[in-house]
Amino acid sequence: MESFDYLRAATVEGAVQTLAGGSGAKCLGGGTNILDFMKLNVEAHPQLLDINHLHFNKIESVAGAIRIGAGVRNSDLAYDSRILENFPVLSEALLAGATAQIRNMATVGGNLLQRTRCTYFRDPVWECNKRQPGSGCAALEGDNHGHAILGVSKLCIATHPSDMCVALAALDAIVEVQGPQAKRRIPIGDFHVAYGENPAVETTLKPDELILAVELPLQPLYRNSHYLKVRERNSFAFALSAAAVALEIKADRIVTARVALGGVATKPWRSSAAEQALVGQPVGEKTYAAAARAAVKGAQPQKDNGFKVDLIQRTICRALMTLEQRLAKTAAGV
Ligand code: SF4
């Protein structure tokens, strides 16, 4: 691990000034991701800017929305009564991620910037276009059973690792960031980028911008939501496939739907194709299977992960069936 200077930010303005100062400072929140990578020599930063004292660890009700400060810990968010009531998919996604100890440390801002778990990215002996642009991609010929089938490029096939971000994609979240001149509000779908020409670029956040908060619009639809994660072991494992779903059902027909996928794509993957296949259709397995087929249209499996094309379809179907049953029980007052 390379040595670095530790700085502590006292104000948001001061933090942004430091980020904009050209010293290569990186923010330190919970440290559950960045410190790992620095210890592995995957990343080296001359300065770490501790942002844990900026008082942005509040969950607040604002006009028509819930505003979650970037410093809120994943555990606090998962168990907040407003989240449990209005966005169960988010609570379920958070609790499916990592371990209790990590969730107690990890922040919302850090989770948004979580980097891939690709084995070859995490070990500097391998070629990796994301770690060292232009060096190649060891995963293309190596073990790629855990890699992506959606949003891949010839340069990188790594999956996005976050559960929380998949739920946020289904919930139409807005990410609020502060730059030196102004604030920006970035729809979650525009925050992460699929790895195209430069896999090292993962988000549209600029180096001099600080994530302030995530805003979730309050809509009845999001109360009817569910997260299902499939993994190789029951805890502390990243998703092989995951689905965040929300449904509004009237007279056994789907009126509105949200479907976002994890574990299979290079970014949290909102599937508008699956949503279109659901809306206007009767509830039931046949409709869910059609939506799942639409979700994998254009998938590009690698040599070891063809099974994910089936697995994600089953995950979508099961998530939708579970949600439908849950909603039917609630309507029946069971
Ligand atoms: Fe690197 Fe992406 Fe290839 Fe993994 S899949 S080795 S992160 S370029």
Side-chain angles (χ1 to χ4, degrees):
M1 183 181 195
E2 306 251 339
S3 60
F4 60 90
D5 292 333
Y6 169 85
L7 311 174
R8 182 182 281 193
T11 63
V12 167
E13 296 72 27
V16 172
Q17 238 174 32
T18 303
L19 294 174
S23 60
K26 274 271 178 183
C27 291
L28 175 67
T32 55
N33 206 220
I34 195 169
L35 293 178
D36 269 3
F37 285 132
M38 290 177 76
K39 287 179 196 165
L40 291 167
N41 288 320
V42 170
E43 291 185 22
H45 305 292
Q47 295 182 338
L48 285 188
L49 178 63
D50 188 340
I51 52 170
N52 284 293
H53 306 272
L54 293 184
H55 306 293
F56 55 6
N57 54 354
K58 293 193 190 95
I59 303 170
E60 301 166 287
S61 299
V62 295
I66 298 287
R67 188 176 187 275
I68 304 157
V72 172
R73 307 283 161 181
N74 284 189
S75 298
D76 294 335
L77 184 59
Y79 292 115
D80 185 274
S81 59
R82 289 158 292 183
I83 301 301
L84 285 163
E85 185 182 340
N86 294 295
F87 312 104
V89 64
L90 178 56
S91 180
E92 290 169 8
L94 286 161
L95 294 176
T99 62
Q101 291 90 338
I102 290 174
R103 292 193 294 268
N104 287 343
M105 285 303 293
T107 62
V108 166
N111 201 329
L112 280 165
L113 299 175
Q114 205 181 146
R115 305 198 73 191
T116 185
R117 306 299 293 192
C118 172
T119 319
Y120 306 102
F121 172 69
R122 291 171 62 81
D123 187 342
V125 303
W126 297 100
E127 314 84 57
C128 171
N129 288 323
K130 183 182 282 297
R131 184 172 18 79
Q132 200 181 346
S135 63
C137 172
L140 290 173
E141 296 302 321
D143 174 3
N144 53 37
H145 84 281
H147 285 71
I149 57 173
L150 293 166
V152 299
S153 79
K154 284 186 184 138
L155 298 178
C156 182
I157 55 171
T159 48
H160 192 275
S162 169
D163 294 294
M164 181 193 83
C165 293
V166 179
L168 294 185
L171 295 172
D172 302 295
I174 302 284
V175 183
E176 187 185 311
V177 307
Q178 176 74 58
Q181 312 302 337
K183 280 185 187 166
R184 283 202 296 148
R185 288 168 61 80
I186 310 171
I188 187 77
D190 298 333
F191 185 82
H192 298 98
V193 295
Y195 314 139
E197 291 305 302
N198 185 358
V201 177
E202 296 163 356
T203 71
T204 51
L205 186 75
K206 296 175 187 157
D208 59 2
E209 286 179 324
L210 178 71
I211 300 173
L212 295 179
V214 169
E215 212 171 275
L216 296 178
L218 284 164
Q219 281 187 32
L221 169 69
Y222 303 139
R223 290 179 172 223
N224 306 336
S225 59
H226 173 51
Y227 188 74
L228 177 64
K229 176 175 180 176
V230 177
R231 47 193 155 173
E232 282 176 336
R233 57 174 190 265
N234 220 11
S235 71
F236 200 20
F238 289 84
L240 282 176
S241 70
V245 295
L247 289 176
E248 183 189 357
I249 298 169
K250 278 191 186 142
D252 286 338
R253 262 186 200 273
I254 297 164
V255 179
T256 321
R258 295 284 185 275
V259 178
L261 310 178
V264 290
T266 51
K267 63 178 275 190
W269 196 261
R270 177 84 173 260
S271 178
S272 52
E275 292 171 5
Q276 281 163 21
L278 289 168
V279 172
Q281 300 302 316
V283 295
E285 216 171 320
K286 206 171 150 197
T287 295
Y288 305 151
R293 278 196 302 277
V296 296
K297 208 166 172 207
Q300 292 174 268
Q302 310 302 312
K303 69 180 174 57
D304 300 324
N305 70 0
F307 72 95
K308 282 194 174 188
V309 178
D310 283 339
L311 186 63
I312 189 63
Q313 291 185 73
R314 289 165 191 257
T315 307
I316 294 167
C317 287
R318 192 165 130 202
L320 289 167
M321 279 193 280
T322 303
L323 179 59
E324 182 203 324
Q325 286 161 9
R326 194 189 279 178
L327 297 178
K329 276 187 186 170
T330 307
V334 181

